[in-house]
Amino acid sequence: MIEQLRTHLEQLGEPFVEKNAAFKIKVIPVFCAISIKKDHKNEGKLTFYSNQLVEILLICLFLLFGLAIFNPQEGLTQGPIQLAISALMSLNLLIKQIAIESLKTRLFHCHIMNNQVVENEKKSAEIH
């Protein structure tokens, strides 16, 4: 499983760092890094994750604090900067999640293409 992941990442041209059974992939440099870990109990399962829990907590805190000091009589343009920061962090989080799903899709597509190549080679070997 790890060998397949390594070859798929090399085929896709994704820069990655491998440490034991964990891979760190920089999907969008400086902006988004994804970690992939092999589940040692279930050999066939890989776990994709990025450290998003802290970001979600920060977004919630910025939103709560920004809404607590927001004055509706002054209008939205005079609102606290915390609301804008939480909106930007939410956008960042959304882009990271899209990058994770994109990588999963590309790896799955690469896996399917390799399986088709193997099947075609078997069929051509049977014909000859």
Side-chain angles (χ1 to χ4, degrees), residues 50-67:
S50 67
N51 296 329
Q52 296 176 344
L53 189 60
V54 173
E55 291 180 23
I56 292 171
L57 181 64
L58 280 173
I59 290 170
C60 291
L61 288 175
F62 275 124
L63 270 176
L64 290 174
F65 183 69
L67 291 174

Side-chain angles (χ1 to χ4, degrees), residues 80-93:
I81 192 71
Q82 288 85 0
L83 295 177
I85 292 172
S86 65
L88 289 175
M89 289 177 69
S90 299
L91 183 65
N92 180 2
L93 195 64

